[in-house]
Amino acid sequence: DSAVVTINAGAVVKGTGSVTILADRATTYLAQGRNAKNVITGDTKVVIGGSGTAAQITSGGDLSIKADNRITTTAKSPEQSIDLGALGFPANIAVSAAQNLITGDTKVSITNATVTQTGSGSTTVEANRRLVATAEAETDSLTYAVIPNGNTVSLNGTYAANQLSGSVMAIVTGGSFTTGTATVAANDDATASVKAGLTARTTSFG
């Protein structure tokens, strides 16, 4: 999913007081299972102007132009208790996997636009991404009495991963930018944690 604000070339946005232009995305994802995976795509963007007649943004007070992207995602493959006797031999234990795959840009782009803040106050142009990703693949618990001679138990392991991609950008190109106090910033605050347990542990013998 995406959150996108577009103000095309030639458009006029004017406020006698404060003006806020905001693309805001706040999402929470949870996947739980033997093979738990979150695949998250989408952009959070404010795009102003382009070629041709300049877009005009005028504010009589504070002017805020922001792309704010907040994602919390959890993938969890929980511990399972597996009775090998009930499973039969040869036994094959599927991999315990947890993954978060995240792609997408967080961006403010102002191109050939006339941006004017006329009153008291400040102008803020910001692209902000705050991301918390957690992937956990727990250890399996195996119970059995006797593994018959010549039989096998195949353990396919545990796997946990977070893959994060995408840019965080605040770009002002061409045009004019008139204000008292201005901040142009791109902030990326990402926390990714991974936990993969042992492939299996034995809880009882017969």
Side-chain angles (χ1 to χ4, degrees):
D1 64 295
S2 297
V4 179
V5 174
T6 302
I7 300 174
N8 292 320
V12 176
V13 176
K14 185 175 183 179
T16 56
S18 299
V19 172
T20 298
I21 300 169
L22 173 65
D24 187 39
R25 180 190 185 198
T27 50
T28 300
Y29 303 88
L30 172 64
Q32 185 166 300
R34 189 63 182 175
N35 186 1
K37 181 189 290 187
N38 290 305
V39 180
I40 302 166
T41 61
D43 298 325
T44 304
K45 297 192 296 185
V46 175
V47 180
I48 298 174
S51 60
T53 304
Q56 297 182 45
I57 310 295
T58 303
S59 173
D62 290 332
L63 173 59
S64 175
I65 303 172
K66 292 185 179 182
D68 200 357
N69 187 15
R70 305 180 305 284
I71 298 174
T72 301
T73 178
T74 302
K76 185 171 184 178
S77 180
E79 177 182 339
Q80 290 190 0
S81 180
I82 300 170
D83 184 347
L84 293 179
L87 195 63
F89 295 98
N92 184 59
I93 311 301
V95 64
S96 174
Q99 300 178 76
N100 293 299
L101 310 178
I102 304 165
T103 60
D105 294 331
T106 303
K107 181 178 180 180
V108 175
S109 178
I110 303 173
T111 304
N112 297 327
T114 301
V115 178
T116 307
Q117 190 261 321
T118 59
S120 62
S122 61
T123 296
T124 302
V125 178
E126 284 188 348
N128 299 312
R129 181 174 74 168
R130 290 182 292 278
L131 172 63
V132 178
T134 303
E136 297 183 352
E138 299 289 353
T139 300
D140 289 328
S141 177
L142 305 183
T143 62
Y144 64 95
V146 176
I147 298 177
N149 290 337
N151 285 282
T152 60
V153 177
S154 298
L155 305 174
N156 289 291
T158 59
Y159 175 77
N162 293 306
Q163 180 178 306
L164 316 178
S165 62
S167 299
V168 181
M169 298 179 288
I171 303 169
V172 179
T173 304
S176 64
F177 199 90
T178 304
T179 181
T181 301
T183 300
V184 179
N187 305 301
D188 190 9
D189 181 3
T191 301
S193 62
V194 172
K195 176 184 176 183
L198 299 172
T199 298
R201 66 169 175 262
T202 301
T203 58
S204 66
F205 288 86

